[in-house]
Every structure is written in structure tokens, then in C-alpha cells.
Amino acid sequence: MKILALETSAKSVSAAVTDGGVVRAYTYQNTGLTHSRTLMPLVDAMLRESEQSLADMDLLAVAAGPGSFTGLRIGVSALKGLAWAADKPCCGVSTLEAMAQNLRHMDGLIVCSMDARRNQVYNAVFAAEGGQLTRLTPDRAIALSQLAEELQGDPRPKLVVGDGAALCSGFLSEAGIPCRMAPAQLVMQNAVGVALAAEEMAARGETVSARDLVPVYLRLSQAERERLAKGLKITLD
């Protein structure tokens, strides 16, 4: 199965094409430029230079959340447009599960982490053993102190991954929980992990149409929280 995958959940942006789990093309940027400027030129150049096209793809996938509200909207909207135009099935992949895919060869606990502000992280924990991943928690926004309590006493090696890895591993280490960050080349979420997770989802029949593809934010935005605090509605009737 040939998959085009996008990752725009944080400051970095990437796109990849995999075929049967093998990476055929990959492009990545972490330069501080907005995804609205960089994403589609990256995708276009990657496909053109690797002599592939949207029509060649069997499935389109995107990191659907959690993550930056703006980043997720850009990635999901872009993929919806591509899927609609090419009439292709889609997968909205958990950003956290996609992170773990790149570390499935490491035995131990994979602690996926994105900075959610307010002393919280977007987090999921996976067990990796023999190249297989087992999800141990749902995707959630969790206080760092609560995460530390959950991991306290677990003897398995702990590898922290994601754009919140430095924050999370620092807190866990100070709490007396041995852990280490993923290698620099693997610590940031990327589109290859999205594609690998999407291939597993497709095998389970978990694809959707472009119309049904939506972001997964996990919690309200600051603007929505402020509206609720004022007693205002956050959606239209």
C-alpha cells in the first residue's frame, strides 16, 4: 500500500511517502516558517522529485491531533483537499501514536509528549517489545505530576519522544524517575511515523472519507475557554 502522509502538529512540518512500510520519499522542515507557507510546496517538490503523483497513492494520512490547533487545522484541511480532489480514502492518525512508531524497535516504555502548557503535556504511553507496540494509555492532556505518579516504580526503560520531550524528561528526572530522550534524529514527530500508523489503521479497516476527516484537539482552545468563562457559546446553533 502506497501512502502519502503529512505531519503539521507542532513547529516542524514533514511529508512522506511509504510503500508497504518502506520509505520512498521524505521531506522535513523545522525553520520557524508557518505551515501555510511551507506544507504544500514541500509536498509538491517531494512528489515531483521522486517521480510520484497523488494518483499513485492508495491512502492519504495526516497527524490529526493532539497538537497545535492552527497546525492541525492546516494539515487536516490540506489533506482533505487532496483527498477530495483525488477521491482517495484517508486516515486521521494520533500524533502521539505516530511518534511511537519511529521507536518501536526500542524495548521499554515509549513516553510520547507534547507541551500542552499550564504544566500539562499531551501524552500517551506505549510498551515496545520485539518490534511491536502496545498502547497502555489513551491520548490525553495530563499534568506532569500525574504522569510522574503513573510511571513511578515501573522498572522498564523509559524513552521520551516528541516536541515536549525535553520538558517531560526533565520533570521526570527531577522526580527520580530514570528516563532518557529519544535520539535527536528521532525525537520530533514526523510524517514517516504517521504513514506507518496509517498502514496499521487501514489493515483494521479504520479509514474515512475526506468529508469525515476531522482534527482531534483533546481540549478547548484558549479563546473557547475564555468564551465559556464569560458565559458565551462556543458553537453556533
Side-chain angles (χ1 to χ4, degrees), residues 186-203:
L186 296 176
V187 73
M188 295 295 288
Q189 51 265 48
N190 63 66
V192 173
V194 174
L196 297 176
E199 185 154 6
E200 294 184 353
M201 292 176 67

Side-chain angles (χ1 to χ4, degrees), residues 31-77:
T31 60
L33 296 175
T34 62
H35 300 336
S36 58
R37 289 180 56 188
T38 58
L39 176 60
M40 295 313 296
L42 281 177
V43 173
D44 180 64
M46 178 186 70
L47 292 176
R48 185 177 64 254
E49 292 170 8
S50 62
E51 297 186 347
Q52 300 177 99
S53 72
L54 196 58
D56 297 329
M57 304 300 143
D58 301 305
L59 178 69
L60 307 186
V62 64
S68 157
F69 284 62
T70 301
L72 294 177
R73 284 193 290 266
I74 290 170
V76 170
S77 296

Side-chain angles (χ1 to χ4, degrees), residues 220-234:
L220 298 176
S221 68
Q222 181 178 345
E224 289 169 326
R225 294 195 301 271
E226 290 174 354
R227 287 184 64 85
L228 283 178
K230 296 176 181 178
L232 301 174
K233 293 182 179 180
I234 59 174

Side-chain angles (χ1 to χ4, degrees), residues 68-136:
S68 157
F69 284 62
T70 301
L72 294 177
R73 284 193 290 266
I74 290 170
V76 170
S77 296
L79 198 86
K80 285 170 75 78
L82 292 172
W84 243 315
D87 192 24
K88 300 289 184 179
C90 305
C91 277
V93 175
S94 158
T95 309
L96 300 166
E97 183 170 348
M99 291 178 194
Q101 287 289 338
N102 290 320
L103 297 172
R104 62 188 305 154
H105 61 289
M106 306 284 290
D107 287 351
L109 295 185
I110 309 300
V111 182
C112 304
S113 175
M114 301 181 72
D115 187 358
R117 310 299 180 188
R118 300 186 298 161
N119 293 315
Q120 290 188 331
V121 287
Y122 294 125
N123 164 261
V125 180
F126 296 81
E129 184 176 5
Q132 299 298 313
L133 286 177
T134 302
R135 179 184 279 274
L136 301 182

